[in-house]
Amino acid sequence: MLDHGAAPPVVETTTPKTSALGALMRRKPVELLVMEGGQGEGGSLRRSLSMWQLTMISIGATLGTGIFVVLGDAVPKAGPAVTIAFVIAGLTALFSALSYAELAGTIPVAGSSYSYAYATMGELVAWVCGWCLVLEYGVSVAAVAVGWGEYLNELLDGTIGVTIPAVLSSAPGEGGVINLPGLIVVLLAMVFLLGGARESAVVNTIMVFVKIAALVLFCAIGFMGFKSGNYKDFMPLGMAGVGAASATLFFSYIGFDAASTAGEEAKNPKRDLPRAIMLSLLIVTVLYVLVAAVAVGAWHWEDFAGSDATLAAILKDVSGQTFWGTLLAAGAVISIASVVLAVLYGQTRVLFAMSRDGLVPKAFGKVSAKTGTPRVNTVIVSLFCAALASVIPLGKLVDATSIGTLFAFALVNIAVIVLRYSRPDMPRTFKVALGPVFPVLGLVFCVYNMFSLDTVTWVVFGCWMAAGLVFYFLYGMRRSRLATAPAVAEAPAEK
């Protein structure tokens, strides 16, 4: 009999001969995941992040391009009902955030949903989830960087009267050769991350306060131009338009899970991770709804089509001056840069966890003894994201990011249910209410938003997953630590 709340015993055996199907289904025990926390090749990650800093990382990764740039793409799809689209996207994020909070408090490790899937659904599902996170974080960094360039041009135009030529600030196919601003902001974030997690967190916190101040400024001035008549034709394109806008706006909520990637660098992860995830989502949702309501009240919904740096343009129109729009652009330049920093951080930590498990090359798991950061990992990921940001248009990046994230979130909701059933007596610092009801709702909302995306996005996603499976079967499956090291078997749970 097992004592209530006690971890089941872990036993070591010799490496067994496993069938192909068994290899795909092998799970990594929760106890082993937690025991390995922070350990890397040549050094260990440092536990230096407080609950406040974790919350700022989550807000920093979430609050940025989604509201400053993507709003201009979503309003033409939903009209004034874009506020409802924000609520639907927010509910999708909320249900998944509850599941993330429970798993983050139970399995506080760097791999986020990849590690949760490894402990509950097996190696193949974990790989698929990790591959989706690479799509989520890596492509998201590139998308955010592209949006940063649009506000940088707005700032330059309002201060010194010049802008970066389109040939150097737009992707090929959009009138340019290279998006130089997008390239630069990713490389700047890389420099900060190489300095250490704590140092990066301090910079991120400052940036978060700037972005919140910028959005509050927008609401205050934008409200002066509010016209109730702009809400008269509330849902011009019906629920189909609201659904399409919701799928696009889900990009605005991507990032709250970044706090869960800091599980091995948090001072008190079991207590602080769930709190940071929920608090950050609450703050972000309130700001989004306020900004969207004011924006649509100030501009007719048809005026949003083709608008770059939308919020700055609204302020110029409402105030009749360039000063307020320029000031908002300055805040946006700083705040969007914080998203690049926080999301890039999350990407490197997911790959760090996958490397430790042997599923990706060891280079991603090497830790600098001097800074306590995976430096080689950070450089490789940053260069890859910088290359994407410099040549791919924003719209394609946004939808690709959304579908990868929705798929990963769906797996997290399933993982909560599986772990509740397989390990019911496991200590949990946070539990989702109403048993499986909220995780199931989270799963349903994720699937709904995925099927609201267009066919091209699904084709890109299918090609990405196919490439990931080829890599897994040729590399990861054979080099997995569960396949090459002595097996670690988890004793069956008490029935």
Side-chain angles (χ1 to χ4, degrees):
M1 298 290 289
L2 296 174
D3 293 332
H4 180 71
V10 176
V11 295
E12 293 188 0
T13 68
T14 57
T15 305
K17 291 184 178 179
T18 309
S19 66
L21 180 60
L24 300 180
M25 299 296 292
R26 57 194 172 210
R27 292 181 295 176
K28 188 171 183 179
V30 173
E31 289 76 17
L32 182 58
L33 279 166
V34 176
M35 182 182 69
E36 291 181 344
Q39 299 177 20
E41 291 281 334
S44 299
L45 301 178
R46 297 173 182 173
R47 293 197 176 276
S48 60
L49 302 178
S50 65
M51 194 274 283
W52 177 252
Q53 289 172 318
L54 292 170
T55 303
M56 292 299 103
I57 288 174
S58 188
I59 296 176
T62 309
L63 192 62
T65 304
I67 192 65
F68 282 105
V69 179
V70 177
L71 180 65
D73 295 327
V75 173
K77 298 177 181 179
V82 70
T83 50
I84 295 179
F86 263 115
V87 172
I88 294 174
L91 284 174
T92 305
L94 173 62
F95 291 129
S96 296
L98 290 169
S99 295
Y100 262 100
E102 177 168 328
L103 292 174
T106 308
I107 314 173
V109 292
S112 185
S113 52
Y114 154 76
S115 295
Y116 309 152
Y118 213 162
T120 56
M121 290 176 280
E123 186 170 286
L124 178 61
V125 177
W127 168 263
V128 169
C129 188
W131 194 242
C132 285
L133 289 178
V134 171
L135 181 65
E136 172 193 348
Y137 287 118
V139 180
S140 177
V141 168
V144 171
V146 172
W148 184 81
E150 294 176 1
Y151 272 95
L152 178 63
N153 260 339
E154 189 74 22
L155 176 61
L156 291 174
D157 184 44
T159 52
I160 59 178
V162 299
T163 59
I164 301 172
V167 69
L168 296 177
S169 61
S170 301
E174 292 195 337
V177 174
I178 185 173
N179 189 324
L180 193 59
L183 176 72
I184 291 172
V185 72
V186 177
L187 296 182
L188 286 174
M190 177 187 74
V191 172
F192 282 117
L193 288 176
L194 290 175
R198 183 178 180 182
E199 291 75 11
S200 301
V202 171
V203 173
N204 176 71
T205 299
I206 295 171
M207 290 179 169
V208 167
F209 276 107
V210 170
K211 74 169 73 179
I212 291 176
L215 291 176
V216 171
L217 171 69
F218 170 81
C219 290
I221 297 176
F223 188 74
M224 293 189 295
F226 192 92
K227 303 179 184 69
S228 59
N230 288 340
Y231 278 90
K232 186 176 181 180
D233 189 11
F234 186 69
M235 198 180 293
L237 302 177
M239 277 305 298
V242 173
S246 173
T248 297
L249 288 173
F250 184 75
F251 178 81
S252 305
Y253 289 92
I254 291 173
F256 71 81
D257 54 320
S260 67
T261 66
E264 296 173 23
E265 291 162 282
K267 294 178 181 178
N268 190 347
K270 287 183 174 289
R271 181 197 68 187
D272 293 344
L273 287 177
R275 295 179 181 181
I277 289 171
M278 299 310 300
L279 180 59
S280 64
L281 187 61
L282 174 63
I283 294 171
V284 165
T285 301
V286 170
L287 283 170
Y288 281 169
V289 172
L290 285 174
V291 171
V294 171
V296 174
W299 262 16
H300 190 271
W301 68 272
E302 293 179 327
D303 295 335
F304 283 79
S307 173
D308 294 331
T310 305
L311 300 189
I314 291 175
L315 286 192
K316 284 184 179 180
D317 187 46
V318 168
S319 66
Q321 303 176 24
T322 61
F323 173 77
W324 296 113
T326 302
L327 186 61
L328 182 80
V333 166
I334 296 172
S335 64
I336 295 175
S338 78
V339 181
V340 176
L341 179 67
V343 176
L344 194 62
Y345 167 86
Q347 173 71 100
T348 60
R349 270 44 179 186
V350 169
L351 285 171
F352 170 81
M354 296 177 75
S355 174
R356 185 169 56 203
D357 293 332
L359 301 184
V360 297
K362 290 183 178 181
F364 291 98
K366 292 182 178 179
V367 177
S368 167
K370 181 178 180 181
T371 62
T373 60
R375 303 192 72 172
V376 175
N377 179 346
T378 301
V379 171
I380 294 174
V381 171
S382 299
L383 293 179
F384 172 75
C385 293
L388 283 181
S390 65
V391 297
I392 300 181
L394 176 64
K396 301 299 181 184
L397 291 170
V398 168
D399 287 344
T401 302
S402 293
I403 196 169
T405 306
L406 287 164
F407 193 85
F409 283 11
L411 292 178
V412 169
N413 286 299
I414 295 172
V416 167
I417 299 171
V418 172
L419 198 61
R420 286 276 191 97
Y421 174 77
S422 62
R423 301 291 299 278
D425 55 352
M426 191 171 185
R428 290 168 171 82
T429 56
F430 176 88
K431 289 187 71 172
V432 180
L434 301 180
V437 175
F438 282 171
V440 169
L441 286 173
L443 175 62
V444 170
F445 272 91
C446 287
V447 172
Y448 169 78
N449 278 283
M450 286 181 71
F451 281 98
S452 296
L453 293 167
D454 59 34
T455 303
V456 174
T457 302
W458 275 95
V459 171
V460 171
F461 182 64
C463 293
W464 175 260
M465 295 310 301
L469 289 174
V470 169
F471 185 90
Y472 171 72
F473 285 115
L474 293 180
Y475 182 93
M477 184 178 179
R478 301 169 184 270
R479 296 173 183 263
S480 166
R481 283 190 59 203
L482 292 188
T484 60
V488 181
E490 191 174 355
E494 178 185 15
K495 294 185 178 180

